[in-house]
Amino acid sequence: MASVAFLGLGVMGYPMAGHLKNKGGHDVTVYNRTTAKAEKWVAEHGGAFAKTPAEAAEGKDFVFTCVGNDNDLRQVTIGPDGCFRSMKANSIYIDNTTASAEVARELAAQAEAGGFAALDAPVSGGQAGAENGVLTVMVGGEKDAFDRAKPVIDSFARMVGLMGPAGAGQLTKMINQIAIAGLVQGLAEGLHFGRRAGLDLEKVVEVISKGAAGSWQMENRHKTMIAGKYDFGFAVDWMRKDLGICLEEADRNGAKLPVTALVDQFYKEVQQMGGNRWDTSSLMARLER
Ligand code: NAP
């Protein structure tokens, strides 16, 4: 059993922290900017909550964060009340936010200067993956810290991989998002086309999902796409944040991402339709408006 702090109890963080406590059996202290969520978490799971990230991280073996973007991350780590102010020597900082590789490297350098280790460890698998404790975790950092942290991360994960040095976890997550962007647009176009062609879409998916067109998105999203239901899941605002990170990194490394850039603009149109918090499968709504 380790002493753990978890900062950021959003859609993902709330159940992840729960698994660290209940499945992992760790001693967990949580922090959330909106305190009501931290109080609710403690009422549900036990453990303790702290009023600042620094207070939560004090004396802990492992400190996790799962917040929104690079700036949020800087606030909870190196900000005035950030957890880096109080982390003890030889502890490990693990960030599950989807952020840039740049901020991951920046935090790793600051951690090293402070005498503790840092791992960038973004996740995939969505809200359901977090709730069921079966996330995929892509990690960047030193092998020694990875080996010590992996058994703890396992509490909420099905697959945990060390991808390379600091930033490599975030770079892997970028590949994940690049691969999803074009795929969801293709699925939306296929279903939209099928509807115009007058076919039974459920039947179409039943048959083609067993062949080469099958995907997690097809399996898990076709029903809601057919029904035009998007008020759940992975928000378009988050996806645009992620694709922005991918496109910026591609500017740096020279990769060509024409489809990713196009789908990013399609998501901008979904936002203009009021779909900021809609699931990313709402690319279908843009075609059918
Ligand atoms: P969310 O529900 O919006 O939660 C965000 C969390 O971060 C909240 O606890 C929020 O606190 C906190 N936060 C944001 N800015 C902060 C700041 N400046 N200072 C302190 N706390 C701050 O988001 P989520 O869906 O859990 O996603 C979290 C991260 O995981 C994102 O990077 C996202 O891209 C990534 N992710 C999400 C999914 C998914 O399916 N949702 C899947 C994979 C990866 P408050 O409660 O006070 O607002």
Side-chain angles (χ1 to χ4, degrees), residues 127 224 228-234 277-279 281-282:
Q127 182 174 356
T224 40
K229 254 184 75 48
Y230 303 110
D231 57 344
F232 69 99
F234 184 55
R277 295 296 294 186
W278 292 352
D279 182 66
S281 55
S282 56

Side-chain angles (χ1 to χ4, degrees), residues 67-126:
V67 294
N69 59 29
D70 285 18
N71 285 338
D72 302 329
L73 198 50
R74 288 193 179 97
Q75 260 179 33
V76 298
T77 52
I78 56 177
D81 284 325
C83 60
F84 278 28
R85 314 257 163 219
S86 65
M87 284 189 61
K88 68 174 183 182
N90 296 320
S91 60
I92 302 182
Y93 167 70
I94 301 152
D95 176 39
N96 301 123
T97 309
T98 303
S100 68
E102 227 177 338
V103 77
R105 292 183 199 113
E106 180 186 320
L107 294 181
Q110 297 248 7
E112 198 182 348
F116 54 95
L119 300 171
D120 49 298
V123 301
S124 97

Side-chain angles (χ1 to χ4, degrees), residues 265-277:
Q265 291 308 301
F266 293 164
Y267 278 126
K268 186 175 177 185
E269 290 178 32
V270 175
Q271 288 175 320
Q272 286 158 357
M273 291 166 65
N276 299 64
R277 295 296 294 186

Side-chain angles (χ1 to χ4, degrees), residues 187-199 201 284 287-288:
L187 175 60
E189 289 184 18
L191 292 176
H192 170 66
F193 175 91
R195 181 166 277 152
R196 291 294 167 102
L199 294 183
L201 294 178
M284 174 98 171
L287 295 172
E288 303 229 310

Side-chain angles (χ1 to χ4, degrees), residues 1 3 28 42 53 65 95 105 149 156 181 231 279 281 288-289:
M1 187 176 98
S3 65
V28 180
V42 169
T65 49
D95 176 39
R105 292 183 199 113
F156 56 73
D231 57 344
D279 182 66
S281 55
E288 303 229 310
R289 72 191 140 159

Side-chain angles (χ1 to χ4, degrees), residues 50-61:
K51 292 220 171 65
T52 65
E55 198 188 303
E58 183 112 45
K60 302 296 187 298
D61 304 318

Side-chain angles (χ1 to χ4, degrees), residues 8-13 31-34 37 66-68 72 75-76 96-98 123-124 126-127 173 233-234 238 241-242 277:
L9 302 174
V11 167
M12 301 298 283
Y31 160 80
N32 196 67
R33 178 178 55 183
T34 310
K37 270 193 225 168
C66 189
V67 294
D72 302 329
Q75 260 179 33
V76 298
N96 301 123
T97 309
T98 303
V123 301
S124 97
Q127 182 174 356
K173 173 74 183 185
F234 184 55
W238 282 147
K241 183 249 312 177
D242 293 359
R277 295 296 294 186

